[in-house]
Amino acid sequence: YQMVKPSCEEYEYILIGAQTPYLKTVEWKSDIASDWYLVSLRTGKKKLIFQNFRDDPEWSPNGKYALIYDAQKRAWLRLDPETKNVTDISSGIGYPVYNEKYDRPDLAKPYGIAGWVAGGEQVVLYDQYDPWVIDMTGNKTPYSLTDNWGRKNNTTLRLLKGFHQTKKLNIQKDIVLKAVDLKTLD
């Protein structure tokens, strides 16, 4: 079993992953899947939320939401632990959030998470080119943090590691990005 808990000081839910049903697949698969259970710390009750997932969930810094990539649906899903609702939050981007050029006999991996904004009310996800700001409440439309500059210029934009040590971002201030031109690799 593995446990994923929020990084905030006070939280009411954790996620427990069970790999037992999938251990026999270790012989022919590179990743072992898990079933993820939402556990209430108030009542001790658990509920199966994600079944047969290869990626681990990640909690928002405020502990209000959990985020996980669904390789089958090729989408990022948000779990609201209070309502137990699971919602696709990445389709609103309008571009794939998974590696479209993945050429292995396996499900494509996501481009990833850049970080969290506003204590966890927003997350920044990547498509092939640009970082996208997603409102975790679902009240605001996703938007490109770089105004689609990467896509328009065939350039991959990523947060530069070293300047951004944590996954907590302040997008109201300047951020440092690494740019790679996909034609010249400059």
Side-chain angles (χ1 to χ4, degrees), residues 12 22 28 33-34 42 52 56 58 69 94 145 162 174-175 182:
E12 296 181 30
Y22 310 102
W28 65 88
S34 296
R42 273 184 274 132
N52 195 14
D56 294 347
E58 180 174 325
Y69 179 70
L145 188 58
D174 291 341
I175 57 174
L182 295 179

Side-chain angles (χ1 to χ4, degrees), residues 10-28:
E10 294 183 28
Y11 49 90
E12 296 181 30
Y13 296 93
I14 60 171
L15 287 161
I16 301 287
Q19 294 180 329
T20 307
Y22 310 102
L23 288 176
K24 60 186 169 221
T25 67
V26 74
E27 296 294 326
W28 65 88

Side-chain angles (χ1 to χ4, degrees), residues 46-99:
K46 72 177 185 176
K47 176 179 168 95
L48 178 63
I49 299 291
F50 304 116
Q51 191 169 13
N52 195 14
F53 272 69
R54 289 167 143 186
D55 292 331
D56 294 347
E58 180 174 325
W59 284 97
S60 60
N62 59 13
K64 286 185 180 179
Y65 308 100
L67 189 64
I68 194 166
Y69 179 70
D70 185 337
Q72 295 287 336
K73 294 180 181 176
R74 297 178 173 176
W76 285 99
L77 304 178
R78 177 200 70 210
L79 165 66
D80 181 335
E82 291 295 328
T83 64
K84 315 293 186 281
N85 288 338
V86 176
T87 309
D88 173 346
I89 62 165
S90 59
S91 293
I93 290 173
Y95 299 108
V97 292
Y98 61 91
N99 184 346

Side-chain angles (χ1 to χ4, degrees), residues 24 36 40 45 66 88 91 96 99 110 116 121-122 126 180 186:
K24 60 186 169 221
W36 288 96
S40 168
K45 290 184 180 179
D88 173 346
S91 293
N99 184 346
W116 294 90
E121 296 300 316
Q122 297 174 319
Y126 292 120
V180 177
D186 288 342

Side-chain angles (χ1 to χ4, degrees), residues 126 128-131 146 149-150 155-159 177-179:
Y126 292 120
Q128 181 178 2
Y129 301 98
D130 298 289
T146 54
W149 189 92
T155 301
T156 297
L157 300 171
R158 299 292 183 258
L159 271 84
L177 298 172
K178 174 176 77 171

Side-chain angles (χ1 to χ4, degrees), residues 158-171:
R158 299 292 183 258
L159 271 84
L160 186 61
K161 292 182 179 159
F163 282 90
H164 309 286
Q165 295 297 332
T166 69
K167 282 200 164 191
K168 294 180 183 175
L169 304 174
N170 184 347
I171 58 174

